[in-house]
Each structure stands twice: as C-alpha cells, then as structure tokens.
Amino acid sequence: MLKGKRINDRYKILELIGGGGMSNVYLAHDMILNRDVAVKVLRYDASNEEEFHRRFQREALSATSLTHPNIVSIYDVGEDQDMHYIVMEYIKGKTLKQYINEFSPLSPARSVQIMKQLTSAIAHAHENQIIHRDIKPQNILVDNEGNVKVTDFGIATSLSATSYTKTNSVIGTVHYLSPEQARGGTATNQSDIYSLGIVLYELLTGELPFSGESAVSIALKHLQTETPSVRALDASIPQSLENVILKATAKNPLHRYSSVEEMEEDLQTVLSPERLSEKKFQPPVDDDETKAIPIIKDSLPFSDIANTKVNSQKTEKAERVKPEKAQKEVPVKEKDKKNNKNNNKKKNRRKMVAIIVAIIAIIILGSVLAFNLLSPKKIEIPDVSNMEVEEAIEILESEGFAIGEQKEAHSDEVEEGLVIKTNPKAGLSRLEGTEIELVVSLGNEKIEVDDYVGKQINQVTSILENSDYQDFDIQQVYSDEPEGTIVEQQPSAGEEVVPSETTIILKVSQGKNEVTVSDLTGYDEAELEEYEKSSGFNVEIDSEENSDTVPAGEVISQNPKANSSLEEGGTIEVVLSKGPAEKQVKMYYKDIVIPYEPFQLGEIQSVRIFIEDKTHSMVEPYDEFTITEDTNYRIQLEIAEGETAAYRIERDSTNIAEETIPYDRAE
C-alpha cells in the first residue's frame, strides 16, 4: 500500500482509486503546484516484466504527445528507485462503463453528444499517428459536468507499426475488438472506428452486441455475425443513428468510415429532421471476395516408380528379341544353341530378380520417406504461463497444437485473466494436433463484502481491525441519521473483492448540519441570490404583497424566522413587497363663472387656475388665459380614496375663489 508515500519528494499518495492488469492508479497531491493529480504506478510484481514495462512506456510516450480537451492530460513521467510512474490529470467523476450501468439506456441526443467528444479525441490521436487499439467505456472517464475524456493509451501503437507486439499477438478487449484484430491482423484507423461503433451501441442499449462463454466465441462473432439492430430493442432510435453503428462496425474495413473525422461529421447531422426517412445502411456486396483455399502439400513420386517398372519391362523384352534375330543371321550347332538358350534364361532370371529387388527397394524407400513426411511430429509444448489468453492461444496454434478446454482457477501469483499453466504441462513433447488445455487465473480468491450501512461505527471498527482487508477509511458526513451511524460504504454490500487489495470506505453520520438563519427583511432579489450562495440555503419567493412601508422588490417577511436554526441545504421562503396598493379614484366636476371686473372699460384681465389632486399640485398653474367678459370654466379633479383635492382661481394676481373637496363629494 503506497498511501502516505511521497514519490520523488513531490507527489504525496492519498488513496488508491483504481487498478488494472499492469498498474495501480492513486489520487495524489502535487506539493509543488498544490493540486490533486492521478498517479499511475506500474505494479511492483510486474516491474521487471519486459512486455509490461514496454507498454507502460508506450502509454507515457503516446499520451504526452496528445493535447486535447477530451484526452486526459499527462503532466509528468518518471522513476523513483524501481517504481515507474505517470502523473496525469485527476478527473472527478466515473468511468463511462459506470455511467452506462447507472443511466442506460441513454437517449439518442446524449449518446450523440458523448460520441462527438470521443470522435474528436480519437481524430486528434490519429492526426498524431497514434491508434488507441483499446477503446472501451472502461478507458473513458466522465467528469461531474458530463464531459468525457479518453485515457489508457497502454496498448496504443504508431500508424506505421506492422504488428501489435513483438509476438504479433492480439491485444485489446474482446467485446470491442475489430474483426481484423480478432484474426491477428494489423490495427488501423478503421479498427478504432469499429470500437467506437460498439461503444455507441452500448450507449443506446445498455448492452453489448456480442457475448459468449469465452473470449474465442465472442471474437468469432465479431468475425462472422452482423451487428444486431438497435432499433429492434428500441424503435424510437432514428434509423440514421443506427446507420452510424452499422457503418462503423462493417466487417470489411473498406466499408467503414474512411476516417474518424468522417464519422464525427456524420454525427453532427444524424438527429436532424431531414434524415428521419433515411434508408438502412447495407455494406456493398463484394462478389470478388477472396475465398480461403486449403494448402496442398507436394505428393510423393509414386508415378515415377511405376514408370520405372514399365521401362524395365520394355528393356527386358528388347533384350529377349535381339538374341532371336542373331540366331537367324548366324547359324550355330545344335549344342551351342542349347547352351546359348540356357545362358540366356539364366541372364534373364538374374535381370528379373534385380529389377524386382530394385522396385521393392524403391517402394520401401518411398514408404519410409512418406512415413517420415506424413506421420505426426512430436513437438515440445511451449511455456505460455503469465500470458494473456489470446496470446497463449496464438503461440500454441502456431506450434501446431489444438486448443482444448479453458479452465479457471484462483492464483495468488498470476494476475486475473492470464494463463497459469497448460495441461499437459510446458516442456513435454506431444504429437502435432494434440489438444492443450489452458488454466486461466481468476486472481486472488474473492469474498463478498458485508453490509455495514445502518450499523454503529464502533461496532464495525473492531470487526474490520481483525479482518483480512488491506485497510479501512472513515469519513464524517452530515445526515439525518443519528450520530455514529454508517450511512454509506464502498465497496457496496455483496460486491466480490480481494481482501488484501481492498480498502473499505465508510461514511459515518455526524448528525444534521444546522445553521442560524439571518434576518432577510429589506433584502432585494440580488441580495437574496448572494445570500443563497454564501449560506448554503435555498431561498424561494413564496408570494408578493402590497406594502405601504416596504419598498417594492424587498422582503417583507420570511419563514423560518430570523435567528432560528435550519439544516444546511434547507429552504427559506420569503414574501416580497409590491409597494403600496393602488387606491380607488373618483372624478369631481364643477362649473363656475369667472367674473370680468375691469377698472376701466375695455381692459384685458389675466386669469390663472391652480389644481391640487391625484396628478397635479398647486406649485405651477394648471391653466392660464385672459378675459374681456364674464367667462364660464369647468373645474375637473381626480381624488384618490381617503384623500382630498382643491382648486384656486386668481384674476390679475388676486385670489377670487378657492375650495377643498373631500373624496366623498366626488362622483
């Protein structure tokens, strides 16, 4: 356990947050830059393994060359004694696999939003000549804002590479593996596109398109079975969106998107109304598709043996004919004829015996050669322990063995998913074609986690102190449960874990977090919003009322009242002022005669009218005019309920009439 350790006197390990086949990931604090980071550390028991070390270095080199908002940033790479580590951006959130398990099936809109971020990230990697080769939800993180970031470039490779590893073994997760990778071919851009198509299928359905009892059976489905229809599971999914999956997961790489950018461009419009009536994607039919041709070995030269036998018979016949012709041409005595005849018979018999012996020798020699060439060979079984199953299968098959049953067993020494041993065991010699069984590690034996939620922490502490768990961590939280009650645990109850590798995290209630409520009377809406942010309370406007004393927009009253206690996160309801209520208004009319009283005949007199009502004041004249005779004038006043109105008439600056009218006299 590295908890508390400082790597290179800079990164303080806080806790274990994840792990994989070759490394563990820890939450750490960068003491120089004062920030939290994620530190991936190569497992100690694998640090001397050349393959793991090489893949670890390749991840560091691959990821450091990439800068993209949807790719986890690499801050530092280094060694501390025998410890190899990578320092990465710490993402608060969960893996996309956990996100799918929690929220699946996702809506088409949300799925497309996630896929556009993924295609943008992988397009950037391809632009930098890097193929990921292991795109799967487990290698994609979702932060608290819902953005995704691609991580784990541990098996990424250069576009110019000709094989996956030094043994050209198939690397990657079988559920997301492209057909060309499954058959051991070279990974290309289209291999990542295939995996992206499988991820989109899982986002929309919450399921994987291919499953089986073994990795081999799943790989065969990737090779032979067409991708199932997502619309068969959910008819509301647009055909245009299903077409993205079908095109991305076409068996022939040439029938897929030519690039991730093309797939990203297709996703931009996939939910537009114009594409609702799109036809289902069908890959082109390849009539000239290459067919598998069985290997034909050279046959043994049995025809040559037969020809040799025929030629020998012809020679013998020719030799028999020649003496007869000689007898006719050269007369001899009867005795000599008899002797010659006997000699010829002996020679012919010797020749016949020699020919038969030669034929038998040739047949025996041919049989020996045929036996040596055709009889099964004995081959030494290679050691494939500590290898991934796919790699072990490839090596055994390349040596000429058949693959038998795969068994599983727990092991403290061999990591989960790797081969423990073979049966027959490595080093023994067996005939070519012999079935070899693989025993695959289940890792350390796991146990189910007990349910501690609802129990008192002092009861559980003594149990965990005497358990086989690596460690346990207690975190205090506020809750409605009584103080000391366990309200949450990680791992969850019933989850199977390896005790020696597991830290139990318990969240323990410290009771309710109650805070004193402030007096909000007189607060306007902006001040309420600021108080909501600083206090942790929710402030809601319950209603609005008229008030003659509180200005409009300010708080009249609140619930709970000021200085009372309320649990953090609770709600305060307030009543806002709408200002004074509108009063009822009546109109008052009065017709008067303004008398003309000049000092001398023909004089012009000036008149000014002053009004005090709801909308006018006597500060300024309401009306001004001149008269040369008695003049009629109508006074018009607006009087609010409970108020009074008044008027005053001046003639040549002399007050000639004035009156105050109460509300009750108005109409």
Side-chain angles (χ1 to χ4, degrees):
M1 181 68 178
L2 297 179
K3 185 176 181 179
K5 178 179 175 63
R6 295 187 179 186
I7 298 178
N8 276 343
D9 292 326
R10 176 172 179 177
Y11 305 107
K12 183 178 180 181
I13 302 298
L14 302 179
E15 60 178 305
L16 178 69
I17 57 176
M22 70 176 188
S23 59
N24 288 325
V25 181
Y26 298 89
L27 172 63
H29 188 72
D30 184 341
M31 294 180 291
I32 294 178
L33 297 179
N34 191 26
R35 64 181 178 185
D36 286 340
V37 295
V39 178
K40 177 177 282 192
V41 179
L42 190 65
R43 286 187 186 272
Y44 292 117
D45 57 354
S47 60
N48 294 322
E49 293 290 335
E50 180 183 352
E51 173 66 12
F52 275 30
H53 193 188
R54 183 172 64 84
R55 285 170 59 185
F56 194 76
Q57 288 178 323
R58 183 164 59 201
E59 175 177 9
L61 292 172
S62 298
T64 49
S65 66
L66 302 176
T67 303
H68 191 276
N70 298 115
I71 296 177
V72 173
S73 299
I74 300 297
Y75 297 144
D76 190 14
V77 179
E79 297 180 17
D80 185 355
Q81 298 179 357
D82 61 344
M83 184 189 304
H84 301 271
Y85 66 87
I86 301 174
V87 181
M88 304 178 293
E89 174 186 7
Y90 173 56
I91 307 299
K92 292 182 180 180
K94 61 191 72 175
T95 67
L96 183 57
K97 188 69 173 180
Q98 293 169 327
Y99 187 86
I100 291 172
N101 290 338
E102 185 174 352
F103 299 109
S104 67
L106 303 184
S107 68
R110 178 59 177 147
S111 300
V112 169
Q113 183 187 34
I114 290 173
M115 288 304 301
K116 286 194 288 189
Q117 295 181 61
L118 291 180
T119 51
S120 178
I122 299 304
H124 178 71
H126 288 182
E127 286 173 5
N128 286 271
Q129 307 301 303
I130 292 171
I131 307 173
H132 192 287
R133 296 200 304 164
D134 196 20
I135 297 170
K136 58 183 178 181
Q138 293 89 330
N139 287 340
I140 300 166
L141 302 177
V142 184
D143 64 20
N144 292 336
E145 285 71 44
N147 300 312
V148 299
K149 286 181 178 278
V150 180
T151 185
D152 202 346
F153 283 79
I155 63 170
T157 186
S158 167
L159 288 176
S160 60
T162 56
S163 62
Y164 297 124
T165 67
K166 63 184 179 181
T167 57
N168 199 28
S169 59
V170 177
I171 299 249
T173 306
V174 69
H175 288 99
Y176 306 88
L177 207 61
S178 66
E180 58 270 21
Q181 288 174 281
R183 67 168 63 94
T186 302
T188 65
N189 288 355
Q190 275 62 38
S191 305
D192 280 351
I193 290 172
Y194 185 92
S195 300
L196 286 169
I198 300 297
V199 172
L200 177 54
Y201 184 100
E202 190 173 359
L203 289 171
L204 291 168
T205 65
E207 301 175 3
L208 288 162
F210 303 120
S211 60
E213 297 179 355
S214 67
V216 174
S217 64
I218 297 171
L220 285 174
K221 288 182 179 179
H222 281 292
L223 287 165
Q224 300 170 356
T225 307
E226 293 301 324
T227 305
S229 168
V230 292
R231 284 174 53 77
L233 298 175
D234 184 356
S236 67
I237 297 173
Q239 183 61 60
S240 54
L241 186 53
E242 181 182 70
N243 287 346
V244 175
I245 298 173
L246 297 177
K247 187 171 183 178
T249 60
K251 302 303 177 189
N252 188 337
L254 296 176
H255 298 157
R256 298 175 202 154
Y257 292 101
S258 60
S259 66
V260 183
E261 288 89 343
E262 184 186 348
M263 184 177 181
E264 183 182 7
E265 190 175 324
D266 196 14
L267 287 166
Q268 298 292 342
T269 61
V270 73
L271 298 180
S272 62
E274 294 79 8
R275 297 182 60 180
L276 289 177
S277 58
E278 193 167 286
K279 293 183 179 180
K280 185 173 183 179
F281 172 80
Q282 296 288 346
V285 177
D286 190 356
D287 294 330
D288 297 325
E289 182 182 0
T290 303
K291 303 298 189 297
I293 301 174
I295 297 173
I296 302 174
K297 295 183 178 180
D298 293 337
S299 58
L300 291 170
F302 290 117
S303 59
D304 293 342
I305 297 174
N307 290 337
T308 303
K309 183 175 180 181
V310 172
N311 291 340
S312 299
Q313 290 172 342
K314 289 180 179 178
T315 303
E316 181 184 354
K317 182 177 179 181
E319 289 178 348
R320 285 201 302 266
V321 170
K322 285 179 181 178
E324 293 175 0
K325 290 182 178 179
Q327 288 174 2
K328 292 179 180 179
E329 293 173 358
V330 183
V332 293
K333 294 181 181 180
E334 193 68 20
K335 185 176 182 179
D336 291 338
K337 287 181 180 180
K338 192 176 291 186
N339 290 336
N340 289 337
K341 187 176 182 181
N342 291 334
N343 289 336
N344 288 336
K345 287 181 179 180
K346 289 178 181 180
K347 288 179 181 180
N348 289 338
R349 279 198 297 272
R350 284 197 296 270
K351 288 180 180 179
M352 182 64 71
V353 170
I355 291 170
I356 293 171
V357 169
I359 292 172
I360 293 172
I362 291 171
I363 293 172
I364 292 172
L365 178 62
S367 299
V368 171
L369 290 173
F371 179 82
N372 289 334
L373 291 172
L374 297 177
S375 62
K377 300 176 185 177
K378 279 198 171 183
I379 308 167
E380 183 176 319
I381 300 172
D383 185 4
V384 295
S385 59
N386 282 296
M387 293 184 184
E388 294 183 348
V389 175
E390 291 83 0
E391 184 179 0
I393 289 172
E394 183 176 352
I395 290 174
L396 290 169
E397 288 181 339
S398 67
E399 292 291 334
F401 295 108
I403 306 302
E405 184 181 356
Q406 292 184 27
K407 297 181 179 179
E408 295 179 324
H410 291 285
S411 173
D412 296 331
E413 300 175 355
V414 180
E415 291 181 20
E416 183 178 358
L418 302 183
V419 175
I420 300 174
K421 63 179 180 179
T422 57
N423 185 23
K425 65 181 181 180
L428 296 178
S429 294
R430 291 292 184 269
L431 292 176
E432 184 177 1
T434 299
E435 280 196 352
I436 306 297
E437 292 181 352
L438 295 176
V439 181
V440 182
S441 175
L442 291 171
N444 293 329
E445 191 165 1
K446 297 181 179 181
I447 64 170
E448 283 191 5
V449 179
D450 290 334
D451 188 1
Y452 303 119
V453 175
K455 297 180 180 178
Q456 287 296 307
I457 186 62
N458 54 7
Q459 298 173 340
V460 175
T461 300
S462 58
I463 297 173
L464 294 177
E465 286 175 343
N466 297 311
S467 70
D468 294 327
Y469 290 114
Q470 184 182 54
D471 199 359
F472 66 93
D473 184 29
I474 298 173
Q475 300 176 359
Q476 299 289 336
V477 296
Y478 292 107
S479 81
D480 294 334
E481 296 296 326
E483 185 176 354
T485 305
I486 299 171
V487 295
E488 189 177 337
Q489 70 178 72
Q490 187 65 33
S492 304
E495 188 173 340
E496 291 191 344
V497 299
V498 178
S500 61
E501 298 177 0
T502 303
T503 296
I504 301 294
I505 300 173
L506 301 174
K507 293 187 178 181
V508 181
S509 173
Q510 55 182 358
K512 296 180 179 180
N513 181 23
E514 293 192 340
V515 184
T516 300
V517 177
S518 299
D519 185 0
L520 304 181
T521 303
Y523 278 41
D524 60 22
E525 291 191 51
E527 291 170 325
L528 290 175
E529 186 176 344
E530 188 61 33
Y531 177 75
E532 187 177 48
K533 291 178 181 177
S534 62
S535 67
F537 295 126
N538 296 313
V539 179
E540 292 182 359
I541 299 173
D542 182 53
S543 62
E544 293 181 287
E545 296 177 2
N546 294 112
S547 173
D548 294 332
T549 58
V550 179
E554 294 183 1
V555 175
I556 299 173
S557 62
Q558 66 186 76
N559 182 33
K561 295 181 179 180
N563 300 319
S564 61
S565 295
L566 180 64
E567 184 180 355
E568 185 177 12
T571 300
I572 303 173
E573 295 179 342
V574 297
V575 177
L576 292 185
S577 170
K578 293 195 295 184
E582 285 286 329
K583 294 182 178 180
Q584 188 175 357
V585 176
K586 290 184 179 180
M587 299 301 297
Y588 173 80
Y589 302 95
K590 184 175 183 179
D591 295 317
I592 61 175
V593 176
I594 302 173
Y596 175 66
E597 298 177 354
F599 288 106
Q600 58 186 7
L601 194 64
E603 180 183 11
I604 299 174
Q605 292 186 306
S606 297
V607 178
R608 294 198 301 174
I609 310 296
F610 293 87
I611 289 177
E612 180 82 33
D613 67 357
K614 183 177 180 294
T615 58
H616 303 91
S617 71
M618 290 192 181
V619 176
E620 296 289 336
Y622 171 75
D623 197 5
E624 292 182 80
F625 53 92
T626 60
I627 61 174
T628 56
E629 62 181 298
D630 290 347
T631 302
N632 294 320
Y633 191 90
R634 167 169 278 202
I635 300 294
Q636 180 176 314
L637 301 174
E638 285 183 85
I639 308 175
E641 184 179 6
E643 303 291 334
T644 61
Y647 70 89
R648 185 175 77 247
I649 302 173
E650 291 181 0
R651 185 186 62 206
D652 289 339
S653 300
T654 301
N655 187 6
I656 62 171
E658 66 179 353
E659 184 179 13
T660 299
I661 296 90
Y663 173 80
D664 295 335
R665 285 182 57 189
E667 295 179 355

